[in-house]
Amino acid sequence: MLTAGHPTRRRLPTRRRLPARGGQEARRGLLAALGAYVAVRATGLVALAVWSAANGKSAVTLLSRRWDSLWYVRVVDQGYGYVLTAPDGRRLSDLAFFPLLPWLERSVSWLTGLAEPDAGLLVSAVASLAAAAGIHAVVRRSVPDRPDVAVAAVVLWAALPVGIVQSMAYSESLFTALAAWSLCCALDRRWIAAGLLASAAGLTRPIGLAVACAVLVATGTAARRGGVSARLVAGAVLAPVGAAAYVLWVGARRGSLFGYLDVQKGWGNGFDGGAAFARFTGGLAARPPYVGGVLLAAGVGVLLWGYVRGFRDGGPRLPLPVQVYTGIVLALALCSSGYFGSKPRLLMPAFGVLVPVAAALGRLRVRWRVAVLAVCALGATVYGAFWLNGSGPP
């Protein structure tokens, strides 16, 4: 334990508080970020509604009653245990879907009287705002001398090509919100809150592992530099509990310690170091029209550039917990052998790679910065409406 007057150890600095003026600037920045986020996503939803109506489809159905959202609703209605045999013989179990979103859908449906799919949309809407605020908070702490970077990072996250998923009854927004605020609490040394949020993230998606690892790195670094406290230990212990509890429960239900891995294998998911994804990208680049593979490789290059840039002093240099979290999300998404159409949305929680891009935008004149962000938002609007009216996210 750290004691007063200890000759060799020093106390960690207390959580930094912004002065009154700085606090006002932070609030204005947050409001600007949330306002821009709502504008981008609302535009995307309007475009989706118009496009869907023109095709004789319902935007609400596309957002809440197709693909994975149906699996979550089935868990709400029937509990776990459903297995679908795919045409190729694979056995798809609903145990692949973590339970926090179904729990929230059931609770919101009970409280509001909404149907479960519509409750999922409400959960996603609130969670997406919380995620935007959390990203702003993390980036503001990571790059404290550049408040514009935090706002730009939120807008870039809203304007991702698959940003429409943030408005669907999917778990991406919920997970990103929990992950961002867990990281924020870890950076502020609020260890119990960081651990609880990491545990909740672990009940939301398999990549909850990334949040738990980030909190463990933060607590380990703090312990090495300034000693151990009860709150620090509690945060470290709590962080992996959610993910571990669900994985162990699935294992017990299936009679195997590695039962969850067997479930994922049934879906065709596994960790192969990126070999399958490389073959897929190479295949696209080797056959007409060729451009698909080139664009995909370029997109991965931008992601890796953003991640590496976050380690550099001129980058901006991101805190170690944010680097760890972002790196694990990237590794799990790019190095898995699952359905490749899912990868863009699986990468969505890796918001750390957007920070160097946002910092680079900050060096442009305001009108050029606004123009770039507007083009990104317009592209996301058109692509989102096209995507959900076509193949859509699996």
Side-chain angles (χ1 to χ4, degrees), residues 25-120:
E25 291 177 353
R27 285 190 290 273
R28 284 198 295 269
L30 174 59
L31 290 175
L34 290 178
Y37 179 82
V38 170
V40 172
R41 293 277 27 98
T43 302
L45 291 174
V46 170
L48 175 66
V50 172
W51 197 307
S52 301
N55 286 299
K57 298 180 180 179
S58 165
V60 174
T61 297
L62 294 176
L63 291 169
S64 63
R65 291 168 172 83
R66 291 190 68 187
W67 305 294
D68 287 4
S69 58
L70 293 177
W71 286 88
Y72 286 118
V73 169
R74 187 178 287 113
V75 171
V76 174
D77 289 339
Q78 303 174 14
Y80 284 104
Y82 179 78
V83 178
L84 173 67
T85 301
D88 58 5
R90 290 177 301 143
R91 290 178 60 79
L92 311 180
S93 169
D94 59 6
L95 292 170
F97 297 89
F98 278 51
L100 185 57
L101 180 57
W103 289 346
L104 291 175
E105 288 181 344
R106 180 184 294 116
S107 300
V108 171
S109 177
W110 180 79
L111 288 171
T112 63
L114 291 171
E116 287 91 350
D118 298 326

Side-chain angles (χ1 to χ4, degrees), residues 145-169:
D145 57 333
R146 294 282 305 278
D148 60 303
V149 173
V151 176
V154 171
V155 178
L156 286 171
W157 191 69
L160 290 173
V162 293
I164 191 67
V165 175
Q166 298 164 20
S167 302
M168 297 180 68

